[in-house]
Amino acid sequence: MTTPRLGLAALTVLDTAPIPQIDLAERHGFDTIGIRLLPAAPGTTAYPVHQDRRALADLRRRLDDSSVTLFDIEIIRLAADFDVNAFEPMLAAGAELGAKAVLVGGDDPDRARLTDSYARLAQACAAHGLVASLEFMPWTAVPDARAAIDIVSHADGPARSVLIDALHVDRSATTLDDLAAIPRDWLHYAQLCDGRMPRPTDDAELIRQAREERLPAREGGIDLAGIWATLPADLPVSIELPNEPRRRAVGTDAWLEHLVSTARDTVDSVGAEQLSAH
């Protein structure tokens, strides 16, 4: 049975700088990390090593010495004033560090302009050997998988990519059939977490839970087995699971051990069911 690579997403330990994050990943059995180079919202935490050659070189040396690799960098938001050239230093740094993917959010309410911006970003990412993983989120201009598929389908080249986050699948109009309809070569990784029920009904609470109060696998009500059964068995998994009250209560090491254990159990059980079905 194929065991997918497991990643420690930036948001899970966002107070931890990239080099100490590698230490955590090594200690708890993660294969990869993701780092946040640009903030998700103004004033929030990020580590812009692409703006500091010394910091970038230090991080590259640390990765070179580790079995842990960098998988994704984040986050590029496609707003109305998107200028692909402004992100060139970030893409170049990601390539230098060995990243595979760039996490992309869509904010521009003009769908045609957003689609054009994504196509230009995908072209720039391809030039650096990266994929532009467009993440659908219900409060954004890319609210569900169908919207993401439509936008990505208008781009050309090898960088086309849709990022599946289990929380956003559950909180959006996305169906399992929608996930199954995503071309396999557009899938490069998926983010794993669980979530509280009942589902929030307003954007403010959707955002708060997504950024602050996700749950370990099988501790909420998301159909993780159904979601993962639609995905390739070897698709890399990123644990994106911010929950500071829980992390502080038990300590970071115990928390990450729990997240790895529950994620592995969930993904492996789906893989075993798929294997037995054949």
Side-chain angles (χ1 to χ4, degrees), residues 175-261:
T175 67
L176 298 183
D177 285 342
D178 294 332
L179 298 183
I182 300 172
R184 301 296 91 175
D185 61 343
W186 293 5
L187 293 174
H188 295 87
Y189 69 123
Q191 293 176 331
L192 176 67
C193 72
D194 214 328
R196 288 173 49 191
M197 297 294 165
R199 299 173 183 86
T201 56
D202 65 278
D203 284 354
E205 183 60 11
L206 280 169
I207 294 169
R208 190 194 71 78
Q209 288 191 20
R211 293 179 179 169
E212 302 176 11
E213 201 176 84
R214 300 187 185 211
L215 297 177
R218 296 181 172 177
E219 292 186 17
I222 295 177
D223 180 16
L224 296 176
I227 293 169
W228 251 260
T230 72
L231 304 179
D234 60 349
L235 188 70
V237 174
S238 175
I239 299 180
E240 184 173 73
L241 214 155
N243 191 319
E244 287 307 290
R246 291 277 298 272
R247 180 158 76 110
R248 286 195 298 269
V250 300
T252 295
D253 288 310
W255 178 238
L256 293 181
E257 287 292 324
H258 182 58
L259 298 190
V260 168
S261 174

Side-chain angles (χ1 to χ4, degrees), residues 132-194:
S133 292
L134 182 62
E135 182 176 12
F136 57 90
M137 307 175 226
W139 61 86
T140 70
V142 190
D144 52 42
R146 289 186 300 279
I149 292 169
D150 178 60
I151 292 165
V152 172
S153 69
H154 287 85
D156 293 317
R160 293 183 295 181
S161 181
V162 174
L163 173 58
I164 295 170
D165 181 322
L167 189 74
H168 303 325
V169 172
D170 181 78
R171 267 58 170 152
S172 72
T174 300
T175 67
L176 298 183
D177 285 342
D178 294 332
L179 298 183
I182 300 172
R184 301 296 91 175
D185 61 343
W186 293 5
L187 293 174
H188 295 87
Y189 69 123
Q191 293 176 331
L192 176 67
C193 72
D194 214 328

Side-chain angles (χ1 to χ4, degrees), residues 29-42:
F30 290 92
D31 302 297
T32 67
I33 62 167
I35 59 176
R36 183 163 289 182
L37 300 181
L38 294 175

